[in-house]
């Protein structure tokens, strides 16, 4: 048991490059390096500090006023990247555990056909979301619930069951 705990701790300390897009109605793509054990709340604070010189509205914002949206799900602040990776968590339009970047499949193909790829997560101000949640893309977003089974999905045209992955 001690070995397992030590292995998990080492995995949480591994570095991870996360590509994200600060979203204020249009996307501003950036990336940041964090450890896998970083919580979403601490990640949002690191991003806020990192980009506040480019986006003046973030200088006075707190990380509590920011949301992280990955694959159309709002990820609560208490989850860590390790939680999403270890559980192979799934979003509405792709995996929550891939943080590298690919083109948005919804812009080029059928959104029901998922490639084994991930879109950059969006970071938005909470008040922007509250003002725009009735408009696409925010109208698709919902809070992540790990107990919701995302069922089957398609990768490159072949049916795959999410439970088998």
């Amino acid at each position: 048991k001690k070995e397992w705990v030590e292995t998990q701790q080492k995995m949480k300390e591994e570095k991870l490059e996360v590509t994200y897009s600060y979203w204020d109605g249009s996307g501003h793509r950036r990336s940041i390096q964090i450890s896998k054990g970083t919580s979403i709340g601490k990640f949002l604070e690191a991003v806020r500090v990192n980009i506040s010189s480019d986006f003046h509205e973030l200088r006075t914002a707190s990380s509590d006023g920011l949301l992280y949206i990955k694959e159309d799900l709002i990820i609560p602040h208490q989850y860590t990247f390790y939680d999403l990776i270890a559980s192979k968590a799934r979003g509405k339009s792709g995996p929550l555990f891939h943080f590298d970047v690919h083109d948005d499949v919804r812009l080029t193909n059928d959104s029901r056909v998922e490639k084994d790829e991930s879109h950059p997560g969006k970071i938005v101000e909470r008040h922007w979301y509250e003002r725009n949640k009735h408009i696409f893309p925010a109208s698709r977003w919902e809070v992540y619930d790990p107990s919701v089974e995302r069922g089957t999905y398609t990768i490159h045209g072949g049916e795959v069951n999410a439970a088998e992955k």
Side-chain angles (χ1 to χ4, degrees), residues 15-20 30-32 34-36 38 40 43 68-71 75 80-86 89 95-102 117-121:
K15 293 295 180 194
L16 177 69
E17 184 163 351
V18 177
T19 301
Y20 63 90
R30 303 275 198 292
S31 66
I32 191 169
I34 55 158
S35 66
K36 290 180 180 178
T38 302
I40 298 302
F43 160 72
Y68 180 58
I69 294 88
K70 181 79 169 134
E71 307 302 336
I75 312 298
T80 67
F81 287 90
Y82 176 80
D83 295 335
L84 301 174
I85 294 165
L96 296 178
F97 54 88
H98 289 171
F99 302 99
D100 52 349
V101 177
H102 300 278
E117 300 175 344
S118 184
H119 315 113

Side-chain angles (χ1 to χ4, degrees), residues 22 41 44-53 55-67 77 123-128:
Y22 173 62
L44 289 170
E45 179 57 20
V47 166
R48 188 195 68 75
V49 167
N50 196 294
I51 66 173
S52 62
S53 62
F55 301 98
H56 301 290
E57 66 273 17
L58 295 179
R59 288 183 181 168
T60 58
S62 74
S63 59
D64 288 339
L66 298 174
L67 299 174
H77 289 205
I123 295 176
V124 302
E125 289 184 90
R126 189 179 299 272
H127 69 83
W128 182 93

Side-chain angles (χ1 to χ4, degrees), residues 1-154:
K1 177 163 168 69
K2 184 180 177 190
E3 280 180 27
W4 183 85
V5 171
E6 288 172 0
T7 303
Q8 299 307 303
Q9 191 57 41
K10 283 181 185 170
M11 289 171 70
K12 289 177 184 179
E13 292 169 4
E14 289 175 5
K15 293 295 180 194
L16 177 69
E17 184 163 351
V18 177
T19 301
Y20 63 90
S21 179
Y22 173 62
W23 186 263
D24 57 4
S26 62
H28 308 279
R29 191 175 285 188
R30 303 275 198 292
S31 66
I32 191 169
Q33 196 168 73
I34 55 158
S35 66
K36 290 180 180 178
T38 302
S39 70
I40 298 302
K42 289 191 186 315
F43 160 72
L44 289 170
E45 179 57 20
V47 166
R48 188 195 68 75
V49 167
N50 196 294
I51 66 173
S52 62
S53 62
D54 294 334
F55 301 98
H56 301 290
E57 66 273 17
L58 295 179
R59 288 183 181 168
T60 58
S62 74
S63 59
D64 288 339
L66 298 174
L67 299 174
Y68 180 58
I69 294 88
K70 181 79 169 134
E71 307 302 336
D72 292 325
L73 295 178
I74 300 167
I75 312 298
H77 289 205
Q78 74 269 18
Y79 288 98
T80 67
F81 287 90
Y82 176 80
D83 295 335
L84 301 174
I85 294 165
S87 65
K88 295 191 182 286
R90 300 206 40 78
K92 293 167 110 182
S93 54
L96 296 178
F97 54 88
H98 289 171
F99 302 99
D100 52 349
V101 177
H102 300 278
D103 290 329
D104 191 336
V105 70
R106 294 168 298 182
L107 300 178
T108 57
N109 297 314
D110 185 339
S111 66
R112 294 163 299 181
V113 178
E114 176 187 313
K115 296 185 176 184
D116 193 17
E117 300 175 344
S118 184
H119 315 113
K122 288 180 177 64
I123 295 176
V124 302
E125 289 184 90
R126 189 179 299 272
H127 69 83
W128 182 93
Y129 170 71
E130 292 299 331
R131 280 195 326 262
N132 294 284
K133 62 185 176 185
H134 63 288
I135 303 169
F136 182 85
S139 60
R140 286 185 45 86
W141 301 345
E142 59 187 68
V143 176
Y144 169 65
D145 178 352
S147 67
V148 172
E149 174 61 49
R150 296 286 165 197
T152 60
Y153 58 94
T154 306

